[in-house]
Amino acid sequence: MVQSTHTPVREQDAPASGPPAMVTFRNVWKSFGAIKVLRGIDLTIERGQVVCVIGASGSGKSTMLRCVNGLEEATDGVIEVDGELIGVRLRGGRRHELSPREAAAQRGHIGMVFQQFNLFPNRTALENVMEGPVVVAGLPRDQARRRAEELLTRVGLADRAGMYPRQLSGGQQQRVAIARALAMEPKLMLFDEPTSALDPELVGEVLGVMKELAEAGMTMLVVTHEMAFAREVADRVAFVDAGRIVEYATPAEVFGNPTHPRTREFLARVQ
Amino acid sequence: MTARITAEIADDPGAAVSTLVPTPTAPLGTEPTPPGLPLVRRKHPWRLVSYALLALILAMLANSVLTNERWRWDVVGEYLFDDKVLGGLWITIVLTLGAVGVGLALGSVIAGLRMSSSRVLSIIAAWYIWFFRGVPVIVQVIFWVYLAQLYPVISIGIPFGPEFAFYDTNLLVAPIIGCIIGLSFNESAYMAEILRGGVAAIPPGQIEAARAVGMTPRQIRRRILAPQILPVVLPPFFNNVNAMTKTTAVVILASVTDLFSAVMQIGARNLQQTPLLLVATFWYLVLTAGLTLFQVGLERLVARSATRS
Ligand SMILES: Nc1ncnc2c1ncn2[C@@H]1O[C@H](COP(=O)(O)OP(=O)(O)OP(=O)(O)O)[C@@H](O)[C@H]1O
Ligand SMILES: [Mg+2]
C-alpha cells in the first residue's frame, strides 16, 4: 500500500492549533461492487474557499461530492467536515456507522444542489425553502417564512414564491433549490453540475447566484463543466481522472499550464 | 367555416391564407392584433348512430326485465328493507371496514419490512406476502373460525417454558372476529404491495433532497413520501376495498350472517332465490357506488393539494 503518502487518519479530532479546515478527504475509497470509483482521494478545502471539480464523465466526481454529506458512504477512508467525521465514529481503528439521526443532523449543516433540482413537486417555491427549517431545525413557521422570503429575494425570485416547481423554468427551479439549501444556514455548499440540465440562456442566472454566494464567503465544492466559471470564481481546481485527483492547483495553473497528460487531453477536448 | 377555408385554399392557397391571416402584423411600437380565426371542432356523425343503437339495446333489456312477471319485483320490494337484510348489510360493512382497517395497518408494517435494508427482514416480509396472498381467503377465514378445533385453549407464555395466561379459544375468537382476522391477513399482503408500489413510484432524487436538508428517515416518510405516495396508491387501494366488500361473502361458510348469507337464508325459506339475489345485488351496488363517490372526492382533494395551479 502507498499509505504513507496520505494524510494519516487521526482517531480524535480537534487539532492542536487553529480551526480545522472546512473539508478534509483522507484517503477516501469507494467501490460499487467490483468497480472502484474513488481510489484514494485526498483533498483539503479551507474555510471560504471555492473548489471546482472537473473531469471526464464517469470519473467519480458526483460520487466524491455525495460522500461529503454521506449520501454515499465511503468504502474506506474518512471525510471530515469542520473537524467532524462524516457518517462514522472512529474507535479502535474501525469506522462505526452513526445512527440515521446523527447522520441526518450532520447533513443539515451541509447544503446540496442537484443537477436535476429535485424540488418537492407538491410544495410551492416558498414551501420548498421553508421545509428544512420547519421540519429539521424546528423553526416556527412565521420565522421560517420570513427567512424563505429573504432567500427567494436573494436569488431574484421574490415574485415566484407561491408557484409550484412545474410552473417555474429550469433556471428558476435551480435558484429555488439553492435557496432551499441556504435556508438551513449551511457552513458548506455542494453543487453537482447545477447548470447541466439547463438551456444555455438560463445557465448565467444560476452561475450569477453562485458567484455572489462565493463572494459572500461561502465555502463551496462545485462539480461543473463551466470552465469559465471555474476560471473566474474558483480558488482551486481539482481534475479527477479514474477516481483520483491527478491535478490540484489554482485555475490559472490548471488551465494555463496543466502538468498531467490526462488534464491536457481533457482540456483540449472541452475547450 | 372549415369548408370555406379549405375551398379557398384549394383554389388559391397563397391568396386565401394571406387575406384571412394578414401576415405583416402591427408595426413595431404598436399593439399587435390577433387575426380572430375561431376553431371549429370536427363533427362525429357515427357517434349519433352508436347512441341510438345503445338506447335501443337498453330499451329492449328494460322491456324484458320489467314485463316478465317471473322477475318478481314485488318480492324484491318486499325484502329490500327487511330487518334481516339490513342486519346482514351492516355485518358486511363491519367486515369490510375491519378487514381494510386492520389490513392497512398491518400492510404498512409489512411494506416497511419489505423495503428494509435488512435482507432478513425483507425476505421474511416477502414470504409473508407470498403466503397470505397465496392461500385462498376462504381457507384463511374458515381456519380462524375453527381455530378452537386446533387449539381449544390459547395460552401465553415462553415457548417450551412456563405459561402465564389461558383463554378458551371459542370465547376469545367469536366467529365474526375470526372472519375479520382471516380477511385482514389476506388484505394486509395486498396492501403491503400497493404501498411498496407507491414508494417505488417516487423518484429517488426526492429522498436524496430530503436527506440533504438533514431529514431523518421518519421525517422523510411523513413529510416527503406520504404526500407523494397518496395520489399513486389511491386507485389500487380503492380497487382493493371494492373487491373486499364482495369478498366478505365468504363468511357464509363460517355461519356469520352477512348480506349475502341473509338473502340466501330467506331465499331458502320462501324459495324466491332470484328476487332475493337482486336484493343483495342492489345493496352491493349501493355500497360500491358510495365507495366510488368517496374515492372520486378524495382523489380530487389529493390532486388539488398536489398540483394546485
Ligand atoms: N449507485 C451506483 N451503483 C453502481 N455504480 C455506480 C453508482 N453510482 C455511480 N456508479 C458508477 O461510478 C462511476 C462514477 O460515477 P459518477 O456519477 O461519480 O461519475 P461523474 O464523474 O459524476 O460523471 P458525470 O460527469 O457523467 O456526472 C460510474 O462508472 C458509474 O457507473
Ligand atoms: Mg455526475
Side-chain angles (χ1 to χ4, degrees), chain A residues 8-233:
Chain A
V9 176
R10 293 161 305 145
E11 284 234 347
Q12 72 269 49
D13 0 289
S17 62
M22 187 53 88
V23 182
T24 314
F25 284 74
R26 295 183 194 277
N27 196 3
V28 173
W29 289 70
K30 173 70 186 177
S31 316
F32 290 107
I35 323 163
K36 291 194 171 69
V37 177
L38 298 182
R39 302 181 305 133
I41 298 279
D42 278 303
L43 174 66
T44 303
I45 306 175
E46 300 297 339
R47 284 155 194 280
Q49 262 190 342
V50 176
V51 174
C52 283
V53 181
I54 60 173
S57 180
S59 55
K61 307 180 297 292
S62 296
T63 307
M64 184 180 149
L65 200 72
R66 292 159 58 83
C67 284
V68 177
N69 67 353
L71 283 186
E72 221 65 85
E73 56 184 23
T75 315
D76 204 348
V78 294
I79 296 173
E80 283 169 56
V81 172
D82 201 12
E84 197 180 341
L85 289 177
I86 293 300
V88 296
R89 191 176 283 123
L90 281 185
R91 234 186 293 124
R94 291 157 186 258
R95 299 176 303 149
H96 295 265
E97 192 184 3
L98 295 184
S99 74
R101 263 168 174 276
E102 292 168 314
Q106 289 183 333
R107 285 190 203 103
H109 303 296
I110 304 170
M112 181 156 190
V113 176
F114 301 85
Q115 184 174 354
Q116 299 298 340
F117 328 138
N118 292 343
L119 291 180
F120 305 129
N122 52 337
R123 306 241 150 78
T124 63
L126 190 77
E127 288 165 351
N128 263 280
V129 182
M130 286 170 63
E131 187 73 7
V134 169
V135 175
V136 178
L139 206 67
R141 284 194 77 85
D142 52 335
Q143 274 184 47
R145 174 178 298 271
R146 236 171 299 134
R147 185 191 290 179
E149 281 164 354
E150 277 167 28
L151 284 167
L152 285 179
T153 309
R154 188 164 161 194
V155 298
L157 290 174
D159 54 335
R160 297 288 195 281
M163 291 197 164
Y164 285 86
R166 64 187 174 80
Q167 300 169 315
L168 298 171
S169 74
Q172 290 168 340
Q173 288 188 48
Q174 193 60 300
R175 285 184 284 154
V176 173
I178 294 176
R180 175 174 71 180
L182 292 176
M184 292 299 289
E185 301 185 321
K187 44 193 178 190
L188 165 71
M189 284 286 284
L190 308 173
F191 293 85
D192 190 2
E193 299 193 31
T195 58
S196 299
L198 297 177
D199 289 341
E201 72 268 26
L202 299 178
V203 168
E205 63 190 45
V206 172
L207 291 182
V209 168
M210 289 170 61
K211 192 172 162 222
E212 277 170 27
L213 204 56
E215 281 160 2
M218 177 64 76
T219 313
M220 295 166 44
L221 181 57
V222 185
V223 174
T224 187
H225 289 306
E226 296 293 328
M227 298 303 158
F229 175 83
R231 201 188 292 264
E232 188 186 353
V233 180

